Amino acid sequence: MAYRNRGAEVDAVGGELNATPLHWATRQGHLDAAVILMNAGADPTLRDAEGCSCIHLAAQFGHTALVCIFKFQYFI
């Protein structure tokens, strides 16, 4: 949270896919990182350049725990 207190944007967009850090954590199946980002205020409904939100990416890549978190907005 120290970076956020210094002005870091939790939903900063970057890369060829115009994706947020939460998109990237979701693509790679990093559950802990996704939970940390969501607890810091990351928005899982934002869409990347391909039109995918985080729940779409989690389902596409077979990350069922992340699908549940995004569907039920349950943060561990």
Side-chain angles (χ1 to χ4, degrees):
M1 297 292 195
Y3 293 111
R4 182 118 194 242
N5 294 337
R6 293 182 181 170
E9 291 184 44
V10 72
D11 286 325
V13 174
E16 291 180 16
L17 294 175
N18 291 328
T20 66
L22 186 55
H23 284 114
W24 290 108
T26 301
R27 283 179 189 279
Q28 299 302 316
H30 295 301
L31 178 63
D32 292 343
V35 170
I36 289 168
L37 288 163
M38 290 180 69
N39 284 331
D43 184 353
T45 65
L46 295 177
R47 296 180 182 264
D48 64 13
E50 295 178 334
C52 295
S53 68
C54 289
I55 196 167
H56 297 117
L57 294 171
Q60 178 181 0
F61 290 101
H63 305 306
T64 54
L66 285 168
V67 171
C68 290
I69 286 173
F70 299 134
K71 174 136 177 89
F72 300 108
Q73 297 292 304
Y74 173 73
F75 311 148
I76 298 169

